[in-house]
Amino acid sequence: MTHPKAQRVFLVDGARTPFLKARQGPGPFTPVDLAVQAGRPLLARQNFDRAAFDLVILGCVNVIADEMNPARVAALRLGLGEQTVAFTVQINCGSGMQSIDTAYRYIREGSHQMILAGGAEALSHAPLMLRQSAVEWFGRMNAAKGPMDMARAMTGLRPEFFKPVIGLERGLTDPITELNMGQTAEVLAHRFGIDRAMADTYAMESHHRLAAAQKGGRLFDEVMPVFDRDGTVYDHDDGVRPDSDMESLSKLNPVFEKPHGKVTAGNSSQITDGASWVIVASERAVEAHGLTPLAEITDSEWAALDPSIMGLGPVLSATPIAQRHGLELNDIDLWELNEAFAAQVLSCIAAWNDEDFCRNVLGYDAAFGRIDRDRLNVDGGAISLGHPVGTSGNRIVLHLANAMKARGAKRGIATECIGGGLGGAMMLEAVT
Amino acid sequence: MTGHVLKYLGESKLELGAAEERKGNWRTGRDQEGILWLALDKADSSTNTISGDVLRELERHVSAAEEDLPHAVVIRSAKPGGFAAGADITGFAKMSDEGAAELLTQGHAVLDRLEKLTCPTICVVHGAALGAGFELALACDIRIAVPSASFAFPEVQLGLHPGLGGTFRLPALIDSTEAMTMMLSGKTAHTNRAKTLGIVDEIVEERHVAAAVRAFAKTGIERAEPGLKTRALGLEQARTLLARQMRNRTEERAPADHYPAPHALIELWEEHGTDRRTMQRGEIRSFANLLKTPSSKNLRRVFFLRQKLKDTARGDDDIAHVHVIGAGTMGAEIAAMAAIRGKRVSLSDLDTTALGRAIKQAAKLCEDKHLTNAETRDALDRLMPDPNGYGISRADLVIEAAPERIEVKEKTYAELKAQMKEGAILASNTSSLSIDDLSAHAPDKTRFAGLHFFNPVAKIPLVEVVVGSDTDTQTADRLAAFCGAIGKLPAQVGDYPGFVVNRILTPYLMEAMVLMDEGVPKEVIDSAALRFGMPMGPVTLADQVGLDIGLHVAESLRDRLDKPMAEITDMLQARVEQGDLGRKTGRGFYDWSDGTPHPDSEEHGPADLTDRLILPMLNAAVEVLGQGVAKDADQIDAAMIFATGWAPFRGGPLQYARTRGTRDVSDRLRALAKAHGPRFEPDEGWQGFN
């Protein structure tokens, strides 16, 4: 059987909620609430009907019990109709990009025409869990038949049962190497000679760039305000610190490996809630509806490496794309490289500029080069915006498309590191 | 969501058991277990009512059951819409005194015999069981409710009380204070509440009705002995005490000289308490008497007026998406109501904080309406705050609820031209501007009209659909159907200053201002109006509506109509300038910071006080009728009653004029004109009005 000719795939439009820093306790929105609030205006501003979508895919890591298969719940709440299939994907931090990639591949092979692909995360709702010992005790209580039985089970009660396990802590620790994410950044900082000052400088720039983008209205079409039932309006990414400076950053203590570490809360991504969607469509659908896409998706790649150095995921996944298309450093106009940690971003930059590394690991003859800071995360990133784990992959692709359009860029790559030792990358090109 | 699979499987059908053979209004049959199924399926109607025929036929079935006792009897409705909507009140209007008592006695006899059948009698209720329908259910031993079931005695809203045994059967079944409250208020008890109260014995899904019926047929039901409270209320002294409390509470909302029915009910219960036989005789007598009261006749007419308006709201509005411009008090509530009723709504405003407030308000409305979590979630999902106006190009109806300034509206309409869908309707919520003037700037004159809501939108059922000279019939009909879809009553009226309601109401409000200028205290003015039967005095009402709105409307009437009117007082202008606009700012003429004011003055003020307030409304009503703004006198009365609560027991302004005597009214107006000014001159329409 011959394969059908590969279809061209376009990123038509997208929108996201403001990213909201997790503060005291659960925020006002669940993952699906966020997905609905981002999706509603996005769908309303299209010139075609909801029925045009063949499929909905949503990335989400912390799925909550009330919203099993959040893709389907969100699709139904968005009025996409009972006959639209919807599923949820999870590849840790890469989930929001995985949804786009899956959409890209389905459309490329011709089985679908228009897919809504997104990411949603409400880390503030990450559960407090009972310790295993407490769970077992509750089980015995439940099974108790009669007062004598119950009294016997009661005597097993221990005070430690009431100390919850913080789900988020466990989620951000790799089970194979038993390093938490911040520790993997320390490993890279050591290996690539990233010092505290460099990391802090990078972090400060992230905040300044986001603040400038907000002030300059560059996020107007991307960020849709969200509204809670108390009447509060959230209309901007609220983790931003426009006045971030080296002095205040330098006062922070290392948070993952005290007292000598270089990674602090100030130069790491923030714990955040947020959702994002993009509309992915075939050339046929673009023509049929008379659409003006933001960009064309021209390639994607996933890579795997040791979990203890997961931060190098971008290097491992973006490079094969560049190599396949014969691209040199300067052929790529814009980069969105997820800012999990400043030290991790800078390690990737250093690795690409390291001749030894490029020869031995990437198969190049020479160093790939040093990515120009003015092409990298031009409007800020996860350090200032926050990193809602299942959403970030989606946001960086969406923002790359918007930034390329605003700057008249021809080609861009969005890429991220993924907890567990993976990397994802996607290339966009301006529509000809 | 009705996709093709669900459509094929069909709606869950009603379990009618063996009730196959149709005879008249009932379908009957005995099943293999010997259970007699009686399903009420009133001929020529989609709703069941308990008419004389229905009761006569039931009598025959009860006779047959007495002769050949079935294992059990099941009574239910075969209409998907609900159980039964009560007695056939068209019949009442035609009845004579004796005729009514006779019919009631016969009805009681049938229900008594049904009650006495020695086999279990099981009533299955889905949807509403109202009035006589509820009484039919009460005559059975056992009541099974399907979720959606509700029970109510709305007779008091028709100036009556239950007449087929409800007054003794309900207090015998449930707590008598709860029973009396239900009958005095006309409030509905929904499924779960009905179960808690004890009206319902079991709640089952339709798919389990047959099994539930079989189970009850086998076991019957044990009812607990009457509790201490019920036995205590068997004593006259206990009842007298409680009756006094009920009387006082009822007097506040429904004074005895305006609304005799609830008081008659209290008296009935106080006197006969738990003596069923005398209570039954008393109930029949009291009901027959109440039928004759002018209050009941007028209230029954109001019911018909409501049905008439509802009939004009039928049909498909073809409106799936509504966009509302302006998230002020009105716009926000209109958007919320439409979303709660299933429309997809987008709401825009220049100020996102206003949008935030609108969502908060909508969430509160869902709570007030006792929506479940899922219903609230769905309603709020349908209500999209839309600062960028994305919803405009998707909307089938755009409702403009922007500030009352023509330049603002013109600018808004100009921007809409490029965005609105082909065939979409633009409607303005304006109260004081001319629809024809505004239509000049609308994207499509034929699809432009006024859609005038009243504040508070969630509570007031009436909406004026203002038809301009260019508005086409399809647009007017779609707007009326839209009102029906969102649970409102549409009154199609012409484009006239103040349309119908404000034209009639404004003289009431403005005269009150003039009286205050003359030194009459506002509490005295308002109390006089309350004594007449208005639900709110004019000064309180002016504060409630908003003094700025009232002023706008008054100015608009003065500028556009060539008629003498009450001067707009300096006091009113001053308040508006100061920003004391009434309820919405916490202070107007009254202080609203502690809630709604309840003026209660013993003083009667000047002798002609009440006529000075009320007669200008009659005068304006006749003017509106003569100018052809409204369809007919009935529509005017309906609009005033449903928009302002105009003394319903008097039937509305024009009905009151007829009752009082049109000659008497015009003479009185002339006398008032002599004493106080030309604004009281009777309109020329009085000559032709009767």
Side-chain angles (χ1 to χ4, degrees), chain A residues 33 36-37 40-50 73 76-79 81-83 220-221 224-225 227-233 235, chain B residues 1-6 321 344 352-353 355-357 359-361 363 373 376-378 380-388 390-391 393-394:
Chain A
D33 288 339
V36 170
Q37 294 233 23
R40 273 191 315 199
L42 176 63
L43 295 177
R45 75 183 183 197
Q46 305 310 314
N47 70 354
F48 53 83
D49 200 73
R50 285 168 170 77
V73 182
L76 289 171
R77 283 178 61 181
L78 282 168
E82 54 172 44
Q83 280 160 307
F220 182 73
D221 282 328
M224 301 288 116
F227 300 77
D228 74 16
R229 292 187 188 187
D230 288 330
T232 314
V233 186
D235 62 5
Chain B
M1 284 190 297
T2 35
H4 62 296
V5 180
L6 203 57
H321 187 125
R344 192 176 289 282
T352 42
T353 348
L355 293 176
R357 276 197 302 271
I359 299 302
K360 184 174 183 171
Q361 207 180 329
N373 285 337
T376 304
R377 171 201 71 201
D378 291 345
L380 294 176
D381 277 352
R382 286 190 290 265
L383 178 57
M384 180 175 86
D386 189 12
N388 301 321
Y390 296 141
S393 53
R394 298 211 154 258

Side-chain angles (χ1 to χ4, degrees), chain B residues 219-259:
Chain B
T219 63
I221 197 161
E222 279 285 316
R223 294 229 180 263
E225 280 295 311
L228 186 61
K229 181 173 177 192
T230 313
R231 279 182 278 141
L233 291 173
L235 299 170
E236 202 177 322
Q237 298 96 300
R239 289 204 309 279
T240 306
L241 193 62
L242 218 57
R244 193 181 310 146
Q245 281 176 10
M246 288 190 228
R247 220 169 254 127
N248 289 338
R249 269 204 304 272
T250 305
E251 184 69 23
E252 272 170 47
R253 285 177 299 105
D257 47 0
H258 297 335
Y259 298 100

